[in-house]
């Protein structure tokens, strides 16, 4: 099967094609197909989101691709910490009550992460205007879109080692954003003020915003410019970084062009998620 992840930014669409199709070896088909990235491409934005996505869908949908899409924007989320005794129906009712109480520009979804010390009810909102743009392209092309995700969740699927506590650092116009994750739950988000806060202080600030205690074993996914990477170097060395090299490319598609690019990694992560599920 073939899977396509698409990351939509203001000026480009990043596309990653991933396959888990079996290959012929010594006249026999391998029993477990390897997951490989077979293509990484970037397309300039030329029109509305719906029109640009429509063009990508039209080119690929007849080839049997399964799609996942994410648009880069500010995450809109809420976390409710509940005792371990809370039952799943209670948590679902709590989430639905929260969603029903909202009358704004977002469409909400939720998930429950159960743990021995308590449960996390994670509720995330996607902008209705953004979803309308996506849905126009999907309906016009009848494309098989399995998931519309929120930013920067797909980067967690590049974390194939499933480090429990991860801090993602992304940068936009010199501004560094930090995202604290516990598996697939986004616990906290903040913006680093380099004028008043050291990297170590920012990490502690981010950890303090979590609604529940998190593991002290933190790993980083750092998408930083050389200028900011130098400032974070000692912290990254102390805590370590997630190894994403286990994701295999064919035909040397992973070049220096895509190193340290969160938008392409998100596209890969989106496609890799479905390839791993169906492998």
């Amino acid at each position: 099967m073939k899977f396509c992840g698409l990351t939509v930014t203001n000026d480009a669409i990043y596309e990653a094609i991933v396959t888990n199709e079996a290959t012929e070896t010594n006249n026999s088909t391998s029993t477990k197909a390897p997951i490989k990235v077979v293509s990484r491409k970037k397309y300039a934005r030329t029109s509305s989101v719906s029109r640009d996505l429509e063009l990508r869908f039209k080119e690929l949908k007849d080839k049997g691709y399964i799609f996942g899409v994410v648009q880069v924007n500010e995450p809109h989320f809420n976390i409710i910490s509940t005792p371990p005794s809370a039952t799943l129906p209670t948590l679902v009712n709590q989430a639905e009550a929260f969603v029903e109480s909202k009358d704004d520009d977002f469409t909400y979804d939720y998930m429950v992460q159960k743990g021995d010390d308590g449960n996390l009810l994670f509720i995330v909102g996607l902008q209705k205007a953004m979803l309308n743009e996506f849905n126009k392209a999907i309906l016009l092309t009848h494309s098989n879109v399995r998931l519309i995700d929120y930013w920067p969740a797909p980067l967690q699927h590049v974390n194939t080692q499933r480090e429990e506590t991860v801090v993602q650092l992304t940068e936009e116009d010199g501004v560094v954003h930090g995202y604290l994750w516990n598996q697939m739950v986004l616990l906290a988000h903040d913006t680093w003020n380099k004028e008043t806060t050291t990297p170590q202080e920012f990490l502690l600030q981010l950890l303090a915003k979590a609604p529940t205690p998190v593991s002290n074993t933190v790993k980083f996914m750092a998408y930083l410019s050389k200028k900011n990477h130098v400032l974070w170097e000692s912290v990254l060395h102390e805590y370590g970084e997630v190894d994403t090299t286990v994701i295999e490319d064919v035909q040397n598609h992973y070049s220096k062009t895509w190193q340290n690019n969160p938008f392409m990694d998100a596209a890969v992560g989106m496609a890799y998620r479905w390839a791993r599920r169906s492998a």
Side-chain angles (χ1 to χ4, degrees):
M1 299 180 70
K2 295 181 179 180
F3 308 85
C4 177
L6 298 169
T7 302
V8 181
T9 71
N10 290 333
D11 58 5
I13 291 182
Y14 295 79
E15 174 190 283
I17 305 295
V18 171
T19 180
N20 63 1
E21 293 178 344
T23 55
E24 297 290 335
T25 306
N26 296 328
N27 297 323
S28 62
T29 303
S30 59
T31 55
K32 186 174 182 181
I35 301 175
K36 295 183 178 181
V37 183
V38 297
S39 175
R40 301 174 187 244
K41 295 179 181 179
K42 176 183 176 181
Y43 298 90
R45 290 283 310 280
T46 60
S47 185
S48 64
V49 170
S50 60
R51 178 56 180 163
D52 287 339
L53 277 178
E54 181 186 346
L55 294 175
R56 302 309 318 132
F57 288 154
K58 278 184 176 179
E59 183 173 329
L60 297 171
K61 78 178 188 69
D62 292 334
K63 299 177 183 179
Y65 286 97
I66 295 172
F67 295 94
V69 186
V70 64
Q71 185 166 0
V72 178
N73 52 26
E74 189 83 3
H76 186 82
F77 66 100
N78 190 66
I79 297 178
I80 302 172
S81 182
T82 64
S85 58
T87 63
L88 185 58
T90 299
L91 294 171
V92 171
N93 289 338
Q94 192 171 357
E96 291 182 346
F98 175 89
V99 172
E100 290 175 2
S101 69
K102 295 293 182 179
D103 183 19
D104 53 21
D105 297 327
F106 293 85
T107 296
Y108 293 88
D109 200 357
Y110 58 87
M111 64 171 286
V112 175
Q113 182 173 291
K114 298 185 72 68
D116 295 335
D117 299 325
N119 307 303
L120 291 177
L121 183 57
F122 179 67
I123 305 170
V124 63
L126 294 177
Q127 290 179 328
K128 292 178 181 177
M130 179 193 74
L131 291 175
N132 287 339
E133 288 290 295
F134 286 179
N135 286 331
K136 286 179 187 177
I138 295 168
L139 292 173
L140 284 171
T141 59
H142 305 285
S143 296
N144 186 6
V145 177
R146 295 286 180 88
L147 177 68
I148 297 174
D149 215 340
Y150 65 98
W151 181 257
L155 290 176
Q156 277 298 87
H157 296 292
V158 184
N159 171 21
T160 57
Q161 297 169 299
R162 282 292 183 263
E163 304 288 355
E164 184 172 318
T165 306
V166 171
V167 172
Q168 295 171 359
L169 298 175
T170 66
E171 184 175 338
E172 185 176 3
D173 297 327
V175 178
V176 175
H177 301 279
Y179 305 88
L180 175 65
W181 292 86
N182 180 267
Q183 298 179 35
M184 287 309 299
V185 173
L186 178 57
L187 297 177
H189 164 242
D190 208 345
T191 300
W192 178 44
N193 186 337
K194 67 175 71 176
E195 304 300 327
T196 61
T197 310
T198 67
Q200 181 66 43
E201 290 171 342
F202 179 67
L203 172 60
L204 296 176
Q205 177 180 310
L206 202 57
L207 293 172
K209 293 184 70 173
T212 184
V214 295
S215 169
N216 290 327
T217 307
V218 176
K219 287 289 184 73
F220 279 86
M221 298 179 73
Y223 298 94
L224 301 175
S225 64
K226 290 182 180 180
K227 183 178 179 180
N228 278 317
H229 195 279
V230 169
L231 301 176
W232 278 86
E233 197 166 21
S234 62
V235 172
L236 298 178
H237 179 74
E238 178 182 352
Y239 290 92
E241 297 185 65
V242 172
D243 180 13
T244 61
T245 61
V246 293
I247 292 184
E248 185 177 357
D249 280 61
V250 298
Q251 300 174 5
N252 197 29
H253 281 291
Y254 187 75
S255 66
K256 291 184 178 179
T257 304
W258 306 122
Q259 285 181 358
N260 206 39
N261 189 311
F263 309 130
M264 182 56 75
D265 267 8
V268 170
M270 182 76 72
Y272 203 87
R273 169 183 179 172
W274 292 108
R276 187 169 56 240
R277 280 190 173 188
S278 62

